Amino acid sequence: MSFPGVAETRPLLLYSGSRGGACRRFEPFVGDPDVLLEGVAYDPGCPAGIYVFARGASAAGLTVDPSEPGSELWLTSALTSKVLSIPLASPIRLPLHLWLVADETDVAQATALRDKLLDAAYPIMDAMGTGLTLDTISSVLGSGALAYDCASAAAIIGEPETYEQGRINVYFVKNYLQSDWTPAYNCVDVLHPEMIFISWGYDNIPKPTLAHEIGHSLGLVHPQTEDGPYGPVQIWGHTFEVDPFKSGNFMWTGPAITNASIGQLFALNFSSESWLNLDGSPFKRPQARPCQDDWGAGACAALNSFVPGGWPPP
Amino acid sequence: MILPRHTSRGPARTGAMAILFTLTAACAAPLTHEEQLTVERYLVCFECPAPLQDVRRLAGMKPRATVDSLDVALRRGPTVQRTAEADSLLNAGYTRDSTWRSRNARPALPPRDSVVAPDSRSYVDGYRARGALGMGWIRTARALRYLDQAIATGQLPPSVLAAARFARDSIPSANGPPSP
């Protein structure tokens, strides 16, 4: 199996379908750059699909829908020829509108933080094999009369000067929620995952903050959430099966991001809750589906599954 | 049957004392491992309102231990092990970013030490500042005393000092955090 368009990289392939006489789900293979899959067969009883992630390229998906005659042809043809070539396009350019909510005297500070977080976000999105890069435009907004927080989302959206439809809107505000000193917030709680707030007046904002918030926009959640003795809490270690302080996971809140799980890469691109796949999105993928919100495998790859040997490869 | 007064009073007093003892014990009990992780999750939060609520709820049950844990965070920062783990991630991130820049014809990063060391300090200072802010929200006499003591040392880094002063003087005493 080869991947034209991929240069100097090792793609990650997830295979679902019949192999070795058993149904496999999201079985990972790292190419060098090709992948040799042995024992593959077509079995209409086994949901079949191949998904590919690679640095510098868009994610790709090929699936078989048994209710759709002919959708298995790519697989049966590949089994006959014993070769499957999956061309990978350039990364999707994720459109962001970066709003600097700052008075004239503070614009330089807000701009400096924006640039710092962008510098961190570009290599994270690329090296993790998310299939995404950023397409940004920036505007300056005076601090003005509008309250810039998620509770005011409707008012912000109602003003074309403060919100751009069709983009993820990132607001760099002085100090989100004032007294809380939170580095950032994504408005997914109020059903606006395309709205992100980042505090430029907070001195110690971690560099991966923007990438992490984009992860929320694209349907990712924190490593683990379940009911604890005093409400919903995160239980560390369950998802990663390693100490999250060491893991540098995409959605952990550490000082650097150094890995993403298989399920996270999958959900970013193929979850119907990802902003990319919402109704009306020009990026919507035909393979998008509702992903399970627990941590095991289901309709989507498991959020807590990792590539053996680590991902991304050096 | 009417019991003599002394026989009915005794158990009642014992019961009252037992309840008092239980409450006092809960207030003074140390944090469990999971509760300590709840505090640490707040100390490294990106989106802090929910983790802060968890810490405040914990403080409602174990005020002393919660405040003591935040005070340690303010005074000392993360443990040596946590800082080493953060440094390891920062170094890995630096290597990755340098390679990415080279592959994508972007200007090279400044030397490793001039990037990783400030990021590591920022991580530690952010953690310490969050310890101060947590105590500011809990606002028990013990929390305010710790904040006063930390400010009085004159040894807090500027961003941590600013957070400690804000926590001491500017966080409202009665209301919860604003809604996200």
Side-chain angles (χ1 to χ4, degrees):
Chain A
M1 196 166 296
S2 62
F3 311 96
V6 174
E8 301 175 35
T9 191
R10 302 182 64 193
L12 167 64
L13 179 145
L14 303 181
Y15 173 73
S16 291
S18 174
R19 197 173 78 82
C23 272
R24 314 282 178 164
R25 303 298 310 277
F26 305 109
E27 200 175 12
F29 298 85
V30 176
D32 195 13
D34 294 349
V35 171
L36 177 64
L37 281 181
E38 294 178 325
V40 172
Y42 174 54
D43 175 353
C46 266
I50 288 177
Y51 309 89
V52 184
F53 305 89
R55 192 175 63 223
S58 176
L62 289 169
T63 53
V64 174
D65 180 354
S67 67
E68 205 175 295
S71 73
E72 78 286 0
L73 281 178
W74 65 268
L75 179 56
T76 51
S77 301
L79 290 171
T80 304
S81 66
K82 300 190 184 306
V83 175
L84 178 62
S85 177
I86 304 176
L88 299 178
S90 298
I92 289 175
R93 292 167 60 82
L94 188 67
L96 303 183
H97 197 137
L98 309 171
W99 303 89
L100 303 170
V101 185
D103 293 328
E104 201 172 327
T105 50
D106 294 323
V107 167
Q109 188 177 348
T111 303
L113 180 70
R114 176 202 64 185
D115 293 348
K116 184 169 93 166
L117 301 194
L118 282 173
D119 274 352
Y122 276 104
I124 289 169
M125 304 304 278
D126 185 25
M128 296 294 121
T130 63
L132 306 168
T133 187
L134 307 178
D135 169 21
T136 69
I137 57 172
S138 292
S139 303
V140 175
L141 288 172
S143 47
L146 268 182
Y148 286 95
D149 54 36
C150 293
S152 309
I156 296 169
I157 291 169
E159 299 285 338
E161 310 82 48
T162 60
Y163 178 87
E164 184 176 347
Q165 196 80 37
R167 283 184 181 260
I168 292 174
N169 290 263
V170 184
Y171 300 90
F172 288 83
V173 298
K174 184 170 187 180
N175 184 359
Y176 187 69
L177 295 184
Q178 302 301 321
S179 50
D180 199 45
W181 288 37
T182 190
Y185 212 83
N186 183 300
C187 299
V188 66
D189 295 356
V190 292
L191 306 180
H192 285 292
E194 83 289 6
M195 295 178 78
I196 293 169
F197 291 93
I198 292 177
S199 302
W200 57 256
Y202 177 62
D203 282 326
N204 299 304
I205 190 159
K207 285 180 177 174
T209 301
L210 176 60
H212 175 103
E213 298 305 324
I214 291 170
H216 284 309
S217 296
L218 302 182
L220 298 187
V221 294
H222 286 166
Q224 174 63 305
T225 305
E226 61 183 39
D227 285 338
Y230 25 82
V233 295
Q234 292 171 333
I235 308 298
W236 293 352
H238 182 96
T239 299
F240 299 139
E241 290 140 11
V242 293
D243 185 337
F245 274 103
K246 297 175 190 165
S247 75
N249 182 263
F250 197 97
M251 294 311 288
W252 175 237
T253 56
I257 291 173
T258 57
N259 74 64
S261 78
I262 290 172
Q264 287 171 327
L265 292 174
F266 190 93
L268 283 169
N269 286 281
F270 297 109
S271 166
S272 50
E273 289 184 22
S274 169
W275 181 82
L276 293 170
N277 294 317
L278 297 180
D279 285 343
S281 165
F283 308 105
K284 191 170 183 176
R285 294 178 185 276
Q287 302 89 357
R289 82 276 312 262
C291 287
Q292 70 278 9
D293 55 6
D294 53 22
W295 302 108
C300 299
L303 286 168
N304 60 341
S305 65
F306 286 83
V307 178
W311 178 265
Chain B
M1 187 173 77
I2 300 173
L3 293 172
R5 291 183 78 174
H6 69 276
T7 54
S8 62
R9 261 186 172 176
R13 182 178 297 155
T14 306
M17 289 177 70
I19 290 166
L20 182 62
F21 174 78
T22 304
L23 286 174
T24 306
C27 286
L31 300 183
T32 64
H33 177 66
E34 286 73 21
E35 289 165 344
Q36 183 59 39
L37 291 182
T38 296
V39 174
E40 287 201 53
R41 186 168 67 89
Y42 169 65
L43 294 169
V44 298
C45 59
F46 282 10
E47 304 100 346
C48 300
L52 173 61
Q53 290 290 12
D54 289 344
V55 167
R56 295 179 80 201
R57 284 193 201 106
L58 181 60
M61 295 185 295
K62 294 184 175 178
R64 275 194 209 176
T66 306
V67 166
D68 285 357
S69 179
L70 292 167
D71 178 51
V72 169
L74 168 60
R75 285 187 290 111
R76 298 185 202 159
T79 62
V80 171
Q81 182 192 342
R82 291 279 190 246
T83 306
E85 289 161 358
D87 288 350
S88 172
L89 290 176
L90 288 166
N91 272 299
Y94 179 89
T95 302
R96 186 263 323 279
D97 291 358
S98 294
T99 306
W100 183 84
R101 282 170 169 266
S102 162
R103 281 182 177 142
N104 289 278
R106 301 282 180 104
L109 287 174
R112 179 179 295 269
D113 282 353
S114 65
V115 174
V116 172
D119 286 352
S120 180
R121 271 197 303 279
S122 178
Y123 170 72
V124 170
D125 288 353
Y127 188 100
R128 297 179 71 182
R130 189 85 33 220
L133 293 162
M135 287 195 284
W137 278 108
I138 293 170
R139 295 199 89 68
T140 57
R142 191 181 188 87
L144 296 176
R145 188 169 72 247
Y146 284 156
L147 284 170
D148 285 338
Q149 288 170 355
I151 292 167
T153 62
Q155 294 179 342
L156 297 178
S159 67
V160 182
L161 178 61
R165 285 187 172 143
F166 184 91
R168 179 68 181 82
D169 300 329
S170 301
I171 290 180
S173 56
N175 300 325
S179 165

